[in-house]
Every structure is written in structure tokens, then in C-alpha cells.
Amino acid sequence: MANHILIGLGGTGGKIIRAFRKTIYQEFRQTKPENAHLGYLYVDSSDELMSLEDSTWKILGKSVQLGENSKVRIKGQNLKPILNSVDQYPGIQPWIGDRAVWNDVLGSIVGDAAGSQRRRLGRFLLATNVTAFINALNAQVQELVKNSQEPNVTFHVCCGLAGGTGSGTAVDVVTQIRNNYRPTYPGQYRIVIYAFLPDEKPKPNRDMTGFYHANGYAALKELNALSIGTFRPVDLAAKNPNQLRLELQDPFNGCYLFSNQNENGYLVDVDTRLPDIIADFLYQKIIAIETVQVIGGQEEHPQVTLSRQENAENGDSSPEPSPNDSNVIERSKRFLTFGLKRIAIPEEEIREYTTLTLANQATQHLLYNNWNDDTGWDNKPKNIDYTSYVQKKENLEGWYLSNDHITYSKGILEGDRMNKNWKLISEYWQVVAGPMMDTAMQEDWSQWLREIERLFAEKFENEYRGNGVKTFYANKESAKSAIALEMKQTLEVKLIDLWRNGEFSMHNIQQIAETLGVWVLAKINEANGKIAKITEEIPGEEAKLSANNKQYSDIGVLSRTMGKHKSMLIGHTEVLTQLYKLRTNLAGWEFAKSLLGAFNLQLSGLQRDIATTVRTLTVSIESFENGLKERLQDKGLELNGHVIRFYDRDKVIQRLPDFVLNKNLQHTTASNVRNRLLGILGNTQTFGNFNSKITDVVFQDTLSEASEQNADVWHDTLPKQHQFMGQSIVQKLQEEFAGNDLRLTKFVRDIIKQSGSYLQFNTEEINKKGDGIPDRPNKVVTYTVIIPHTPEEQDFVKKLEEAFRQNISITGNVSISIVPQNDPRRRHEIVLMTVTNLFPLRFVGQLKYLKEGYDRQVIHHQNAGEKAKNRMILHLEGDGMQHPDLYIKTITRNEYTPYMLTAIAMELFTKHVDSRGVSQLALVRKDEDGFDLDPVFLGTDLHQAKENMSMQDLEALRREVEAKLKSEFLQIAKREELKIKIIGTIEAFKESRGGSLIDPVYVAFRDAGKQAVAILKQ
């Protein structure tokens, strides 16, 4: 496949590239299909469409945004320093114009300079970034040539003519491409322009400056002048002041013009539908047509036909001449337009609908996990007793929220959990009591109670878990935040596991976290109760110790002989064990109260994270449902759009319940989606990381990708008669029209009627006759019909082809070509493409209101200063008057009179005596070597001279006068001398006519003199 580079200028160009890349992805499920060698370059002064995160570049969950190497930003951060030193920029200085106007223009811009609907500003921005553009262009070309091993490239330049960026850069982008890529053989380095003409009634705030329509007309004037070679723009990349102007042959091959209203009056939205239509046309001509396999002796491949049209090789491409001088060309015929109609089964939309249905169902599962045998995954949660679930012993244990954990009887931090020496509080004092009693008994019996009390106190103060109870809990209080975080992280892992294995939905998870928050607050109150109760119990145990000590001191010899002292030691140890359990538990519950407060803060953060995740799912369900509402909403067969959707919508809708209620498919999809989502999180499986990495867009993209794959698998398992994707449009048409040729013919006729070009034509201009209008036919129309090759339906295909031939009027400048398409990917559509070419711009219907908008700014504006300023802003160089008019302008002899008077003042006319001895006005000239030519005798006075000069000589005289006014007579003083001579000529003519002030011939010359003086003042 050949190399193609799409170059988008300004917002319109960017939207066309975006729509084209979406079309590519829809067809191939990748942006770089095999064997398609495509490059892109997007040039804009606005970042609006350049962001990597711009969701408008998404299609089926996939971003088709361009890489940075395909973007050229020409935003001007500060143009004033360049203006102040413009002599250092040879590619800018010759055309920059009046600095005072620029101060006004730049002063009205807030922030970085963008095109701002001012064409010369758009050019200024490109000029300051022209090296970046050329480098990016060359890089795209080199990459294509390297990958394809094919040296030739076709450049497709897409732009709108209403704004400042697209309209203001189109001419220079085209000329820079041509300057860098000059063809050495026919067909090499073709440049094709696709220009959107400003819509007649733009949306509110679209025409912000009043230049919306004027820009369009100014751009067309310059493109026309560029095509015929009279506009040789300054090379923006020029480094040598002596080589400024570009000398280019055929700067572009053809320029497609299109608008938002076709010739049948069908209107499309400028921002949404129109870029899709242009992208569809580009896809058809770049990708689809190239895959057409011509079968059965077709004379010419449609791609060859199209190339000839774009090169203006299918008819007379000679520009229209001036009506006053056939040697002067004025209006190019290198302009084209197109119409596009596709009769198609909306395969991609059907695929998107099934994908969105499955994605929506999977999200319902992830959010609610509530299966209903009648409806599939329900959009509401199950009824669950969350309080009982939260209070389950095994759950609290797993979440480190049991009493033993929160009192830190059990360790929570990993090091504490792994400490094999730790015993529960309830066990610890029981275990250490026996050994301490044995130690106490090694003392004199009289000291046993005092010793055991000392040993318990020592254990409590210094030895419990290596530090003593108070120090231990003081340390844990310092580590409270880390412990609370560990608890939160453990809880989060458990909750994510519940979601991963499908046991609970995100709504369930959220309710568990919310219920747990209530439980924590209740647990803090419970801790307060525990603290109060223990505090009340401790004095009772302490009283028992006092009573024991008093009784022990009264033991006599006999009682000791009976072993009473030993039994009292045992009893005393039991009281101490209970007392120190209480004291330790008191410290534990006081810590638990503090720890629960810290954990509650962590839990609140987790609750917020979970709520954000739930919101992502909720928003995605809404997005999927909105997507479903936008698709397959046909209300019947509509023929006026560029795609005629021909399919059985009911069949698709009727199959979807089987799809939705396929529990195995739904579970598989949901499981795949969960694993994909959690896989994105890597090793950090948290809801916070989920929210950070899985935005609404990422979530919906992931759901869409997984759902599309599963939807395809499901569809392929359907019985053949129930399948609705991968169908043949020919078969569908045969099912509808078989046996009814009349209905088929009427169907095709109605399509042809609605298949007009996306441009309106001016019948009056088309039918105009006269000077400057060739007799040969203009406006050549070629219809190309591409029908899928279906040998099994060949009889019906022949009837279909005949229906097209019968309904397209074949005349001298209208032709039709019907070709079979053998690409299996294109079985679902028939394409009708119309290309109209070889017409001058005066044929364009939209030109009328564009010129009216232009004239309002440069002719009818009440302020003369503003008129001059507007001319400068609207045109890239000069004031636009140097370019030919787009309409045929027949100049009468009277309109040449001011130029004759000026020519006399310039001494281009002199009095000479002819061969008969008669003194006459004669036109005197020199040849190219500087020798005098024979005088052309015109008559004895001005009146005779005007009538005797040929129109061709008058036109040549006008051009010579205008040239001299821009060179020899540019200074004010010299023009003042001309003015005095013109007045003198008029006075002398009046006297020669008898001096009457009302002589009509004199009056006509007097008025012409006034016009001549007005020209001098310009």
C-alpha cells in the first residue's frame, strides 16, 4: 500500500484526523493496520485537541490520540520581540505589514497567541515555528519510506477556512511541502487539500470577530492565485534575503471543497458529523479503494480514476482567462468536491452495542453482584445483615479487631504477631504465678506474702513483655498510628479479596466498611464501660490482699504446723493473679480506646477510598447506559444521511436477552474484568491505588476491551440464522427486494437523489456564457459504485448494478463506474462515491455569502482605517487586490478611463503626427531590449483614444499603470505630480470640447479623473 500523510491544520484538521483514526481502529482494532503506511501531522495554535488524556480521542475504550512526534504546536508565547527585530527574520519581514496594526492585534490577545480568526496572525504563528514543522514533516516521511521501502508519498492537507490557524497556514503548509518535495515524475509527491468552507449560519460565538466568512473568501482567493501561479508567497523558511519567493510548479494537485450542507440541502453538524464524513471519504479513497480487486475486465481501477480526477487529467484543466485578455489566466479549475453514500449494515455500532451491554452487565455485577434469572445482573444490591457479618468472631479476628487484638493482648504489628514468647493477658499472669510462688517460698516463711507481692509488682512494673505493663503500653501508644495503619491495611486486603473472589460486590464492601465504622464507635463506648468496671473491681482485690496480710501475721506455731501459711500463700497468689490481670486489662482497654480512635481515622480514609471506587462504577454504569441509548436508535430507513443503515434492528435486540441471561458468560466476563482491574494495581492492592490508577476512563476502557472479546466469542457460538454480525449487505438487500425489481429500482433512485456533493453549486454561474468562459464543458461528475463481490448472489447483483445505471444520468460530463469489492471486511456495505472536479470557484454556491462577508470588512466598512487593517489581517501578503477576482469581472471601457488618464500623466501616451500629418494620441512602448516600438495611433483626443483601443490593450495598460504605481510612482511627491497632470489633461480636454461644464463626454472624463486621483491616494 502506498504512503500517505494526513496533515491537520487547526481545529477542523485535528477533528478530521481524530475521526479518521477512529475509523481505522473500528475497522482494524489497531491504529497501525498491517500494510497501511500512514503518517500524521497535526498543526494547531490551541492545545484543545492535543492532550493525551482528551477523552474525545477514545473509541471502544481505546485512545487513538497521536504521539508527540505527530504534533506541531504553533502557539505564540510572545510575538512582540520578533516584531521588534523583524529585520532579522527574512521569511517574515517582507509581508509582516504595519506594526501599528500588529500592536492592536496582539494587544487584544490574552495569554499565548492563537490564530484568533485572523489569517495573517495564523501565518505569523506558523512562521515562528516553520522549522519545527519542516522537521516533523521530514521525520514522518522518513519513517514511512523506511517502513514501506516505497519512496513516494501522498500528502493530504485537511483544514477549515473560517479560522485563523487552518485558513492562515494552508497556503504556506502546502508550499513548504512542495518546496521540500518537488516531483520528478508524474504522480510523485501528490498534494491534495481538503478545505471546509465556513457554514452560512455558524453556531453562537463561532463568528467572534466578524471574519468567519471573510476568512473563507480571502483563503479561496489566495488558493486560486497560488494554483494559477500569480501568487508566489514568501518562503517562511527563507534564510537568504535575496531568495525570498517560492517558485513552484503545481503547488497542489487538487483542492477538495466541502461544507456542512450538500447540494440537496442536507445539513450536518460542523463539529461532530462533518469530520466523520470527511474521515469516511479519506478512508474510502486511501484504504478501502486500494483493496478493491477489480474483477471481470473492469477497464480502470477506481483508484486510478480518482488519481486522474485529483490531478485534473480527466478533462480540460486549463484555467479560465481574463474576459479582457485571453493571455491572462485568472481562475483555476483544480478544485473538486465529493459526495459519499454508504448502504451499510452498521457492524461497528452493533458490535459497540453488544460490547456496552456486556460491559454494563459486568459493572452491575461488580457494583451489586445480585443475579436475577429474569434480568441478569440486577441494578440494585442484595439485602444483607451487615451488622451480624461485622460482628462475626472470625471476621473481627481476621481484621485484628477482636478484644485480644485491640487491647494488644495479641500482637498486631508483624514483629509482635511473630513473638512466640507472648502470652495472652488472661494466660500470662496465670503462667508466671507458679514460678513466682516457688521463688517466694525460698525466703523465710514470714516474708512469703511480702515477697510474692514484690515479685508480682516487679513483673508488672519491669518484666511484662520485657518492659513492664506501663512501659509496654506507653510504647504501643507511641506506635499507635502504625498499628492502626496495619489494621486498616489488613482489613483492606480482606475486603479486596472478598471482591476479587466474587463473594461480595463493591456496594457490599462499602456497607461493610460503613457498618464497621458504627461498630468502632460502639466499641469505644464499650471500652469506656470496661475501664469503669475494672476500675471498680481493683479495690476489692486490693482489700483482699490487706486482709490476707493481717491474717498471715496472726498465724501461730500450731497453724503453721498444720500448713496454714502455705495455703494462705496460694490464696494470696490467686488474688495477686486476679489483681494484676485487672491492672493489665485496665491498661489494655485504655490503650484499646486510644487505638480504636486512631483506627477510626484510618477507617474513615478507607471509607472515602471505597466510596470513590463505588462512584467510578456508578458513573461507568451511567456512561454505558448513555452509550446504549445513543446506539441502534433507528426510527426507520433514512436516506438523507451519508450512511444508510440497512439492518434488522429487532433481530439484534431480540437476541440480547440470551446474551444478558447467559450466566456463565456473565460470570466469566466479570471475573476477567476483576482480574484485569486488580492486575493494573500491581503489588499495591488498595482502593486508594485503584482510584489513582483506575480513573473512570481507565475503568470503562478495561471493561470495554474485555467485554468486546467476550461478546465476539458469544456471538460466534450463536446458530448461523441468529447471528447479526459479519453479514453481507447484498444478501440483506436481496432478502428485502428479491422478486420486486420495481421496489429495488425506486430504492436506488431515492438514494441517488440524496447522494449530492457536500457543496452547493451556482447554476447561474455554471450556465454563464461570454468572454473568459471556455466553450468546453466544465464540472465533470464521476460516480463510483463499489459492491461486494458475491458470486452466490450474482443474478441479484446484476439487477442492482442495472438499477444504479438506470438512475444516474450519463451525459458528456457525467460518468459512472461500478466495481466489485473482494475484501471480506467490506461485505457489510455498498459505497457510492461521487467526485466532481474541473470547476472554477465561481461555480461554488457558498461563494456568494463568503464574498458578502469579505466585502463587509474590506469594502463596505464605514471606517477607512479599519478597511485597510482588515485587508491586512485577512490576507497573507499585501491587501488581496493583487489577486484575480473569483467571479468573472468584465471591465467596460469607461472603467479603464482612469488608467488611461494616469498613463497620459506617466507619459505612456504622447502626441505624435501620423503618416497623414494628423496629430494623434499615440501609445508608445519599448521592446524587451529597450528599443522604441512603433507608436499605436489612437485618435485625435481622449474620447477617440478610449474608443479605438482594443480591450486587450486597455487591460495591458491597466496592469502597467498599477505596476508603475507600486514602483516608480510609489512616493507621495511623485503621485502629487501625477495628480496635477491629470487635472491639466482634463482641463485641456474640456477646452477642446468648447468649455461646456455639462458636456456629457467631458463630465464622463471629469469623473474618471476623480477616480484616477482616488487611485493615487490608495
Side-chain angles (χ1 to χ4, degrees):
M1 186 173 285
N3 295 319
H4 297 270
I5 296 181
L6 270 69
I7 301 171
L9 309 179
T12 299
K15 290 170 186 173
I16 291 171
I17 288 181
R18 180 180 66 189
F20 180 81
R21 283 174 64 84
K22 284 185 176 182
T23 301
I24 290 290
Y25 185 80
Q26 280 183 321
E27 292 293 333
F28 297 97
R29 287 300 182 270
Q30 55 181 316
T31 55
K32 294 182 178 180
E34 188 177 354
N35 296 324
H37 304 295
L38 301 170
Y40 303 91
L41 205 55
Y42 175 29
V43 182
D44 205 348
S45 58
S46 168
D47 289 331
E48 182 182 356
L49 295 178
M50 289 198 172
S51 170
L52 188 63
E53 291 77 28
D54 186 351
S55 61
T56 65
W57 290 78
K58 294 278 186 178
I59 175 74
L60 287 176
K62 170 73 176 179
S63 174
V64 295
Q65 176 63 280
L66 296 168
E68 289 302 309
N69 62 335
S70 292
K71 301 172 187 173
V72 179
R73 293 174 173 83
I74 60 170
K75 182 183 292 185
Q77 296 180 350
N78 194 348
L79 299 176
K80 290 183 179 179
I82 297 174
L83 274 178
N84 294 335
S85 57
V86 75
D87 291 339
Q88 299 176 22
Y89 299 89
I92 298 176
Q93 189 274 335
W95 54 265
I96 195 65
D98 190 339
R99 307 298 191 278
V101 173
W102 278 110
N103 290 334
D104 184 30
V105 171
L106 297 180
S108 66
I109 298 172
V110 179
D112 294 343
S116 303
Q117 291 193 352
R118 294 167 172 87
R119 295 187 69 243
R120 196 171 295 202
L121 175 58
R123 187 188 209 199
F124 195 180
L125 293 171
L126 178 63
T128 60
N129 295 275
V130 68
T131 301
F133 168 75
I134 293 171
N135 290 341
L137 176 72
N138 291 337
Q140 289 290 322
V141 172
Q142 291 164 12
E143 182 72 13
L144 282 178
V145 171
K146 174 185 173 183
N147 293 335
S148 68
Q149 296 299 303
E150 162 60 48
N152 194 13
V153 179
T154 298
F155 303 91
H156 305 268
V157 181
C158 308
C159 62
L161 299 185
T165 304
S167 182
T169 61
V171 166
D172 290 297
V173 163
V174 166
T175 53
Q176 288 299 323
I177 296 172
R178 178 56 75 229
N179 190 42
N180 284 272
Y181 296 94
R182 297 178 181 244
T184 57
Y185 58 85
Q188 186 184 26
Y189 300 136
R190 295 171 62 244
I191 300 174
V192 183
I193 305 171
Y194 308 80
F196 165 62
L197 299 183
D199 40 325
E200 184 174 9
K201 297 178 180 178
K203 295 178 181 179
N205 301 322
R206 184 65 62 89
D207 186 5
M208 300 177 295
T209 61
F211 294 123
Y212 192 77
H213 291 146
N215 283 337
Y217 188 80
L220 290 176
K221 278 193 83 171
E222 291 176 350
L223 285 170
N224 177 71
L226 182 68
S227 179
I228 62 176
T230 59
F231 182 25
R232 295 182 297 112
V234 170
D235 180 3
L236 299 188
K239 298 293 188 290
N240 185 349
N242 298 318
Q243 295 179 352
L244 291 177
R245 297 209 171 265
L246 291 168
E247 300 285 348
L248 303 172
Q249 184 176 359
D250 290 335
F252 59 86
N253 295 72
C255 176
Y256 283 98
L257 303 176
F258 57 91
S259 75
N260 69 322
Q261 186 173 17
N262 76 0
E263 57 186 318
N264 297 315
Y266 175 62
L267 277 167
V268 296
D269 185 84
V270 171
D271 296 313
T272 56
R273 296 297 300 131
L274 189 63
D276 290 343
I277 293 169
I278 309 309
D280 198 352
F281 177 63
L282 285 165
Y283 178 85
Q284 294 297 331
K285 70 191 290 285
I286 294 173
I287 304 292
I289 284 185
E290 189 156 320
T291 64
V292 169
Q293 299 178 21
V294 175
I295 300 169
Q298 180 71 32
E299 291 183 5
E300 186 174 70
H301 193 285
Q303 191 172 53
V304 175
T305 303
L306 186 58
S307 294
R308 290 198 305 108
Q309 291 169 315
E310 292 176 344
N311 295 338
E313 296 169 352
N314 62 322
D316 179 21
S317 62
S318 304
E320 290 186 341
S322 165
N324 304 300
D325 187 346
S326 60
N327 294 318
V328 177
I329 57 174
E330 290 188 341
R331 288 169 299 283
S332 170
K333 293 194 292 187
R334 285 297 185 99
F335 296 96
L336 312 90
T337 189
F338 73 92
L340 184 66
K341 212 61 145 166
R342 289 196 290 127
I343 310 166
I345 301 169
E347 285 270 326
E348 295 309 319
E349 192 169 324
I350 293 171
R351 186 184 301 276
E352 290 171 10
Y353 193 87
T354 55
T355 295
L356 289 171
T357 299
L358 188 52
N360 189 47
Q361 278 286 295
T363 311
Q364 300 281 14
H365 165 73
L366 296 175
L367 182 57
Y368 297 120
N369 192 18
N370 187 10
W371 180 261
N372 184 315
D373 288 336
D374 295 325
T375 60
W377 294 116
D378 213 339
N379 61 353
K380 58 180 181 292
K382 299 176 183 177
N383 296 318
I384 296 175
D385 182 357
Y386 293 105
T387 300
S388 297
Y389 181 83
V390 165
Q391 293 177 356
K392 278 186 178 181
K393 181 179 179 181
E394 60 268 28
N395 288 336
L396 293 174
E397 188 74 24
W399 299 336
Y400 300 152
L401 286 170
S402 67
N403 286 353
D404 285 336
H405 282 105
I406 61 177
T407 59
Y408 227 75
S409 179
K410 284 185 177 179
I412 294 176
L413 295 176
E414 183 178 12
D416 298 338
R417 294 198 310 271
M418 297 297 104
N419 195 325
K420 303 297 184 183
N421 297 321
W422 279 20
K423 298 287 187 296
L424 297 176
I425 294 173
S426 59
E427 296 173 351
Y428 177 81
W429 294 107
Q430 203 73 39
V431 171
V432 300
M436 285 193 294
M437 191 170 65
D438 292 340
T439 301
M441 289 176 66
Q442 294 176 10
E443 302 292 328
D444 181 77
W445 75 270
S446 62
Q447 300 300 315
W448 284 2
L449 295 194
R450 185 175 293 111
E451 181 64 14
I452 194 69
E453 287 179 4
R454 185 190 70 78
L455 290 172
F456 266 93
E458 178 68 17
K459 217 40 133 171
F460 183 83
E461 294 294 337
N462 298 312
E463 295 180 12
Y464 179 81
R465 295 185 178 175
N467 295 297
V469 170
K470 291 182 180 179
T471 302
F472 172 79
Y473 278 108
N475 290 340
K476 296 310 171 190
E477 180 68 24
S478 298
K480 173 179 63 178
S481 296
I483 297 169
L485 178 60
E486 181 78 9
M487 295 165 71
K488 174 255 186 182
Q489 290 174 341
T490 300
L491 171 64
E492 192 165 18
V493 168
K494 301 287 186 183
L495 294 178
I496 284 179
D497 283 343
L498 291 174
W499 192 54
R500 177 187 286 108
N501 62 31
E503 184 176 347
F504 280 124
S505 69
M506 275 309 306
H507 175 83
N508 300 147
I509 299 298
Q510 184 180 33
Q511 292 305 306
I512 290 170
E514 296 296 329
T515 304
L516 190 57
V518 175
W519 178 89
V520 168
L521 295 177
K523 201 67 180 177
I524 292 173
N525 288 331
E526 182 183 331
N528 286 327
K530 294 277 189 184
I531 292 168
K533 185 173 183 297
I534 293 170
T535 302
E536 290 176 359
E537 291 176 352
I538 287 175
E541 298 302 320
E542 290 174 339
K544 291 178 183 178
L545 293 179
S546 296
N548 285 343
N549 279 316
K550 185 174 183 308
Q551 184 179 358
Y552 194 80
S553 64
D554 293 338
I555 293 177
V557 176
L558 181 60
S559 295
R560 193 169 70 249
T561 303
M562 298 290 293
K564 186 174 181 179
H565 62 303
K566 288 186 179 179
S567 62
M568 285 198 68
L569 174 61
I570 293 170
H572 201 64
T573 300
E574 290 174 351
V575 173
L576 284 168
T577 300
Q578 180 61 23
L579 174 63
Y580 279 96
K581 280 185 184 178
L582 289 172
R583 286 177 174 173
T584 307
N585 273 321
L586 179 62
W589 280 105
E590 286 174 339
F591 172 73
K593 179 181 174 182
S594 177
L595 177 62
L596 287 170
F599 173 69
N600 198 39
L601 291 176
Q602 292 287 346
L603 180 61
S604 296
L606 177 59
Q607 289 169 338
R608 288 192 296 272
D609 287 344
I610 292 172
T612 300
T613 303
V614 168
R615 189 204 66 83
T616 295
L617 270 64
T618 304
V619 166
S620 297
I621 288 175
E622 183 179 347
S623 175
F624 292 141
E625 289 179 345
N626 287 338
L628 288 168
K629 290 175 184 176
E630 293 169 358
R631 288 163 173 81
L632 304 189
Q633 298 302 311
D634 306 73
K635 296 180 175 60
L637 196 63
E638 297 182 359
L639 302 182
N640 57 353
H642 95 282
V643 178
I644 299 171
R645 299 152 61 85
F646 198 92
Y647 74 115
D648 188 347
R649 179 181 182 275
D650 292 341
K651 181 177 181 178
V652 178
I653 302 301
Q654 288 166 6
R655 291 269 69 84
L656 288 178
D658 297 340
F659 179 51
V660 170
L661 298 178
N662 187 327
K663 193 170 184 178
N664 289 334
L665 173 67
Q666 298 294 342
H667 271 291
T668 300
T669 302
S671 177
N672 289 344
V673 166
R674 274 196 306 269
N675 291 334
R676 286 195 186 202
L677 292 171
L678 294 173
I680 294 173
L681 305 187
N683 295 325
T684 309
Q685 300 274 302
T686 66
F687 292 107
N689 194 35
F690 184 103
N691 299 329
S692 174
K693 291 186 175 180
I694 303 177
T695 61
D696 297 352
V697 172
V698 173
F699 180 86
Q700 291 164 29
D701 291 353
T702 305
L703 265 289
S704 296
E705 288 176 8
S707 299
E708 182 181 12
Q709 293 173 5
N710 286 320
D712 286 344
V713 171
W714 165 77
H715 180 266
D716 291 343
T717 64
L718 290 175
K720 201 71 175 176
Q721 66 272 22
H722 292 159
Q723 292 185 0
F724 46 80
M725 290 192 288
Q727 304 294 297
S728 164
I729 184 62
V730 173
Q731 185 178 357
K732 286 294 175 188
L733 289 171
Q734 184 182 36
E735 291 173 2
E736 179 69 22
F737 297 109
N740 197 331
D741 296 352
L742 187 60
R743 276 189 66 224
L744 175 63
T745 301
K746 183 179 183 302
F747 173 71
V748 172
R749 183 180 68 240
D750 291 342
I751 290 173
I752 300 297
K753 285 182 178 179
Q754 298 289 336
S755 63
S757 299
Y758 280 91
L759 193 69
Q760 295 184 312
F761 289 99
N762 185 332
T763 306
E764 183 179 336
E765 285 293 327
I766 292 173
N767 295 329
K768 185 176 284 187
K769 305 293 181 185
D771 292 336
I773 302 174
D775 295 330
R776 294 174 297 278
N778 284 329
K779 187 175 173 284
V780 177
V781 183
T782 302
Y783 289 88
T784 301
V785 185
I786 304 173
I787 301 176
H789 181 54
T790 50
E792 65 277 13
E793 314 290 350
Q794 201 56 39
D795 290 342
F796 178 75
V797 170
K798 289 179 179 177
K799 293 180 180 179
L800 186 60
E801 290 180 0
E802 185 58 29
F804 275 106
R805 293 188 190 279
Q806 287 179 6
N807 285 287
I808 294 177
S809 176
I810 308 298
T811 63
N813 58 346
V814 179
S815 62
I816 180 172
S817 173
I818 300 179
V819 293
Q821 166 68 270
N822 208 29
D823 184 349
R825 292 193 311 267
R826 318 303 307 168
R827 294 178 68 243
H828 67 284
E829 68 176 10
I830 293 172
V831 178
L832 171 60
M833 191 159 58
T834 311
V835 173
T836 304
N837 73 326
L838 295 174
F839 59 85
L841 288 171
R842 64 186 179 86
F843 280 20
V844 176
Q846 284 86 350
L847 194 66
K848 182 176 182 294
Y849 66 75
L850 296 181
K851 188 176 190 307
E852 289 171 353
Y854 179 82
D855 289 347
R856 279 195 295 273
Q857 299 297 336
V858 302
I859 295 177
H860 305 310
H861 201 291
Q862 310 246 334
N863 187 310
E866 284 296 308
K867 280 196 289 190
K869 171 184 169 183
N870 292 345
R871 281 192 176 277
M872 190 194 99
I873 290 172
L874 281 167
H875 286 281
L876 305 184
E877 297 180 16
D879 58 9
M881 289 190 289
Q882 72 273 32
H883 301 312
D885 287 311
L886 299 182
Y887 288 109
I888 294 175
K889 184 177 181 181
T890 303
I891 303 178
T892 65
R893 290 183 180 277
N894 288 337
E895 291 177 87
Y896 283 115
T897 307
Y899 295 97
M900 285 188 65
L901 292 170
T902 309
I904 291 171
M906 292 176 173
E907 298 182 355
L908 298 178
F909 284 100
T910 60
K911 282 280 188 178
H912 274 269
V913 178
D914 64 14
S915 58
R916 299 170 298 158
V918 178
S919 177
Q920 296 193 58
L921 273 175
L923 183 60
V924 292
R925 290 175 176 164
K926 294 182 182 293
D927 64 16
E928 58 185 14
D929 295 320
F931 293 104
D932 289 328
L933 293 170
D934 292 337
V936 179
F937 292 102
L938 301 171
T940 57
D941 62 13
L942 279 174
H943 183 54
Q944 288 184 11
K946 184 188 75 171
E947 297 300 324
N948 290 336
M949 277 188 77
S950 69
M951 293 298 290
Q952 186 169 335
D953 282 341
L954 286 169
E955 174 62 21
L957 183 68
R958 180 186 67 81
R959 290 199 304 274
E960 187 173 357
V961 167
E962 286 182 342
K964 286 183 176 293
L965 286 174
K966 292 177 181 179
S967 54
E968 298 175 40
F969 298 96
L970 186 60
Q971 294 181 353
I972 295 175
K974 287 193 174 184
R975 292 197 176 195
E976 189 64 30
E977 291 175 5
L978 291 178
K979 174 184 172 182
I980 294 170
K981 289 181 179 180
I982 290 170
I983 294 172
T985 300
I986 295 297
E987 286 296 317
F989 181 67
K990 179 180 69 173
E991 294 303 321
S992 71
R993 299 281 300 180
S996 171
L997 295 177
I998 58 174
D999 172 18
V1001 175
Y1002 159 71
V1003 170
F1005 273 87
R1006 181 201 64 193
D1007 292 343
K1010 291 180 179 179
Q1011 293 176 33
V1013 170
I1015 291 172
L1016 295 179
K1017 292 179 179 179
Q1018 290 179 355

